[in-house]
Amino acid sequence: MKNDQFILGIETSCDETAVAIIKNGREIAANVVASQIESHKRFGGVVPEIASRHHVEQITIVIEEALSQAKLTFAELDAIAVTEGPGLVGALLIGVNAAKALAFAHNKPLVPVHHIAGHIYANRLITELQFPLIALVVSGGHTELVYMKEHGHFEVIGETRDDAAGEAYDKVARTLNMPYPGGPHIDRLAQEGSPTIDLPRAWLEEGSYDFSFSGLKSAVINTVHNAEQRGEVIAPEDLAASFQASVIEVLVKKTERAVAEYGVNQVLVAGGVAANKGLRAALEKAFADNDKVELVIPPLSLCTDNAAMIATAGSVMFEKGIRAGLSLNANPGLDIEIYNG
Amino acid sequence: MTILAIDTSNYCLGVALLEDNQVLGEYITNLKKNHSVRIMPAIETLMKDCERVPADLTKIVVAKGPGSYTGVRIGVTIAKTLAWTLQLPLVGISSLEILAAGTGRYFDGYISPLFDARRGQVYTGLYQFENGKLEMVEPDQLLLLVDWAAKLAESAKPILFVGNDLQIHRTKIEELLGVKATFASITEHNPRPAELALLGSDKQGEDIHSFVPNYIRLAEAEAKWLEAKGKISNG
Ligand SMILES: [Zn+2]
């Protein structure tokens, strides 16, 4: 009889100190997140040095909480998985070094995980993945379309050339004098307004799956400034709705085109911006009549940074035989295609 | 009793195993290389060479700063995690105190260990051996070297300076303190991890969860935020 597999995952790439334990690749045995958002709000964004300091304060508390939630001891774990990158280097270093200390102390395999692979695999906690598939990754640092033909194999078919979608949200929110993080505020405001302002859509060259949001961001800022100079008032709800409509239209259209071209069975949505109500509704509408493709969007708690996603991706990597030694370093610019083999 | 000592707080990387009043082994390098890549393999190698396993350890002692923010966090994170998961006492020791302990044991005067902190500033403190025990005279602090030297110029005792960063400040110290200043040999500038282990050997374990580095300085953003907040509430 095969024993259950337990993977402990650690995630510290940005401003959440997170530890989770996943059973048999898909079941959450523990999922603990210590968020620093209240601390960073004071600065209007994540301050790397402050984030690193908070991770040191939280790390053993969060590990202990995860083990007690799962009612497990280290002896029962199969491996320690940790986010190797990308992310803030000082922040990543805390998770990486804690993971190495645990692996050494208990003589457990150490499995390095790509943060975005984690976001994509959060979907496996909802439903089994059906390959081939396309994942739309949208977060504060990333906007990508990733094609997967099988477990643990990632092909980036499109990515942002400038700002990530989440970054554009935060900058536009700042223009509208909203507190950090701006994404949820824009989303909420957009529900109250209508997209009456004409803003650009960056389709880029014919057939490209890449994204660009800096032009849109500038257009929003210009619209606000021009209105101010003319002494006019733009309803912030309408501006938020117009901005959101532009972002979502490009994301959804490019995803639809990739789904058709690659003939996939599933569309996965991943990353913090997947929490956006407007995006969820637009994707649901776009794929409602397509019975060949299953659309999967994780619940909010699995869209934002967490360690359950790292442990579940770690489970697949563990089975593929991917291991790191005690010299594992934080890798802030880690490429997702590195473990394709 | 088997103590594992870890120091990644400055350029020097150090690991030591101290067992029953005997130094089993020490590993020290003074290189501008990545501590995150090298410290765990160094611990693993030293323990393997000394034929010790994690379960043999009875205490973890770590250099808690001052020093490089990132460097000290690497050592502290590893020390915290090891101590917590192996259920061992954790002791933090000042990175400057380790330097002072490694030299000046037979010196009749004060010891000023120092690390450069850029823009003319140093991390330093004042220590002395009394009846074979290292005592703190002035706490660890961050200040301009010229201000520190001016303060020490008043002292009645000679001062022994130690630390690899003396090469940056030696001329200035000589100029300001003259014969009052003595300088340690280059073989004494690397903090000895065995001294770290010894300093921690008779200290009580600290609360592991709340253990953090001694940065001395607030994060820059935090300091600015407090300043701005102070201005608002004061005015
Ligand atoms: Zn993320």
Side-chain angles (χ1 to χ4, degrees):
Chain A
M1 196 186 84
K2 191 199 170 288
N3 287 329
D4 288 326
Q5 180 210 61
F6 290 101
I7 308 283
L8 180 137
I10 300 179
E11 150 66 36
T12 63
S13 68
C14 190
D15 61 341
E16 325 273 0
T17 318
V19 179
I21 298 170
I22 295 296
K23 181 179 173 183
N24 300 327
R26 299 207 34 214
E27 236 176 276
I28 297 177
N31 187 16
V32 184
V33 182
S35 174
Q36 309 173 358
I37 200 158
E38 285 306 317
S39 177
H40 294 286
K41 260 184 183 167
R42 297 174 290 168
F43 313 113
V46 175
V47 179
E49 174 60 23
I50 307 264
S52 306
R53 291 188 179 197
H54 286 315
H55 286 309
V56 180
E57 292 160 11
Q58 294 294 326
I59 189 72
T60 55
I61 299 172
V62 177
I63 300 169
E64 181 172 274
E65 174 68 21
L67 281 161
S68 90
Q69 259 187 26
K71 297 188 177 65
L72 289 171
T73 63
F74 279 98
E76 295 162 278
L77 300 178
D78 292 274
I80 312 291
V82 64
T83 307
E84 176 187 0
L88 303 169
V89 65
L92 287 164
L93 278 171
I94 307 307
V96 165
N97 282 289
K100 291 198 291 186
L102 293 176
F104 172 69
H106 302 288
N107 200 17
K108 297 287 178 188
L110 182 65
V111 181
V113 175
H114 189 283
H115 182 77
I116 297 303
H119 273 303
I120 294 170
Y121 267 92
N123 286 279
R124 198 174 179 229
L125 297 167
I126 312 306
T127 186
E128 186 53 272
L129 305 190
Q130 307 292 337
F131 300 102
L133 62 81
I134 287 280
L136 170 67
V137 182
V138 258
S139 73
H142 298 267
T143 308
E144 289 168 11
L145 278 167
V146 179
Y147 173 73
M148 290 180 74
K149 61 174 183 182
E150 62 191 27
H151 273 305
H153 194 281
F154 308 91
E155 194 185 322
V156 178
I157 61 167
E159 62 196 324
T160 184
R161 295 183 184 171
D162 38 61
D163 295 346
E167 239 176 311
Y169 267 91
D170 287 341
K171 285 177 186 164
V172 167
R174 219 170 297 158
T175 306
L176 295 176
N177 292 319
M178 289 172 166
Y180 171 87
H185 294 285
I186 300 267
D187 189 21
R188 184 177 40 75
L189 208 58
Q191 311 299 322
E192 297 161 15
S194 34
T196 51
I197 300 152
D198 197 25
L199 292 169
R201 271 92 173 129
W203 298 110
L204 305 175
E205 47 300 348
E206 178 86 29
S208 172
Y209 288 115
D210 281 352
F211 301 98
S212 165
F213 295 103
S214 72
L216 171 62
K217 175 195 68 191
S218 305
V220 170
I221 295 168
N222 287 341
T223 304
V224 171
H225 286 178
N226 292 344
E228 271 170 11
Q229 273 172 0
R230 288 195 303 264
E232 293 169 11
V233 180
I234 295 183
E237 310 84 60
D238 291 345
L239 191 64
S242 307
F243 165 76
Q244 176 137 311
S246 171
V247 173
I248 289 172
E249 187 182 333
V250 176
L251 291 175
V252 173
K253 283 270 160 60
K254 293 212 177 201
T255 305
E256 275 185 293
R257 191 154 54 74
V259 164
E261 188 186 327
Y262 285 82
V264 299
N265 294 316
Q266 257 179 350
V267 180
L268 310 181
V269 187
V273 182
N276 185 287
K277 288 197 191 71
L279 178 62
R280 284 174 175 250
L283 284 165
E284 274 158 15
K285 193 169 158 229
F287 291 100
D289 301 326
N290 191 338
D291 50 15
K292 291 200 196 84
V293 182
E294 183 192 10
L295 172 70
V296 189
I297 309 180
L300 306 193
S301 63
L302 293 175
C303 290
T304 48
D305 288 352
N306 64 85
M309 69 187 205
I310 300 304
T312 188
S315 164
V316 168
M317 300 302 182
F318 174 68
E319 281 167 5
K320 279 188 75 175
I322 289 164
R323 301 287 182 273
L326 291 178
S327 60
L328 178 69
N329 198 12
N331 191 341
L334 187 67
D335 185 343
I336 196 172
E337 298 176 351
I338 190 170
Y339 294 120
N340 284 354
Chain B
M1 173 202 86
T2 306
I3 298 175
L4 172 68
I6 302 167
D7 184 357
T8 59
S9 57
N10 288 278
Y11 282 127
C12 287
L13 178 152
V15 187
L17 277 174
L18 177 75
E19 191 169 277
D20 304 329
N21 289 321
Q22 184 180 311
V23 178
L24 278 187
E26 265 185 290
Y27 179 88
I28 316 173
T29 59
N30 175 28
L31 302 165
K32 288 187 186 183
K33 280 192 178 174
N34 195 313
H35 287 334
S36 175
V37 171
R38 297 170 61 239
I39 184 65
M40 280 308 305
I43 294 170
E44 186 184 38
T45 302
L46 185 67
M47 288 186 63
K48 204 180 261 175
D49 287 352
C50 297
E51 294 173 349
R52 295 296 181 277
V53 294
D56 295 328
L57 299 174
T58 57
K59 186 184 256 186
I60 309 285
V61 183
V62 67
K64 65 175 181 183
S68 140
Y69 294 167
T70 300
V72 71
R73 270 197 289 270
I74 290 168
V76 165
T77 300
I78 289 169
K80 272 183 89 158
T81 310
L82 284 178
W84 171 75
T85 200
L86 296 168
Q87 299 178 12
L88 302 175
L90 172 67
V91 173
I93 299 288
S94 150
S95 301
L96 289 163
E97 193 179 344
I98 308 163
L99 256 187
T103 185
R105 189 168 261 117
Y106 310 105
F107 177 75
D108 187 18
Y110 295 132
I111 310 153
S112 171
L114 63 81
F115 301 118
D116 182 57
R118 282 178 271 189
R119 291 187 289 252
Q121 301 176 105
V122 290
Y123 288 117
T124 187
L126 206 60
Y127 294 85
Q128 71 176 334
F129 273 95
E130 252 180 313
N131 305 319
K133 234 178 116 45
L134 189 65
E135 309 280 355
M136 187 184 75
V137 180
E138 289 280 343
D140 294 353
Q141 52 201 284
L142 171 75
L143 76 178
L144 287 169
L145 177 92
V146 289
D147 293 346
W148 182 240
K151 189 170 171 174
L152 295 181
E154 318 271 299
S155 141
K157 294 188 188 177
I159 295 128
L160 173 62
F161 289 88
V162 57
N164 283 306
D165 296 337
L166 273 176
Q167 52 186 326
I168 303 167
H169 301 287
R170 183 170 176 149
T171 318
K172 197 83 203 164
I173 294 170
E174 280 172 336
E175 183 189 316
L176 295 167
L177 289 176
V179 293
K180 204 172 264 182
T182 304
F183 298 91
S185 147
I186 57 158
T187 56
E188 294 170 321
H189 290 322
N190 295 343
R192 289 273 310 273
E195 294 285 0
L196 169 62
L198 186 62
L199 286 167
S201 64
D202 57 1
K203 291 213 165 67
Q204 290 280 320
E206 300 170 43
D207 181 65
I208 295 172
H209 285 327
S210 61
F211 189 93
V212 288
N214 177 19
Y215 298 104
I216 300 223
R217 249 192 290 214
L218 287 171
E220 200 182 334
E222 183 100 43
K224 281 185 180 157
W225 179 78
L226 285 172
E227 197 189 2
K229 204 177 110 178
K231 268 184 199 145
I232 291 164
S233 60
N234 290 339

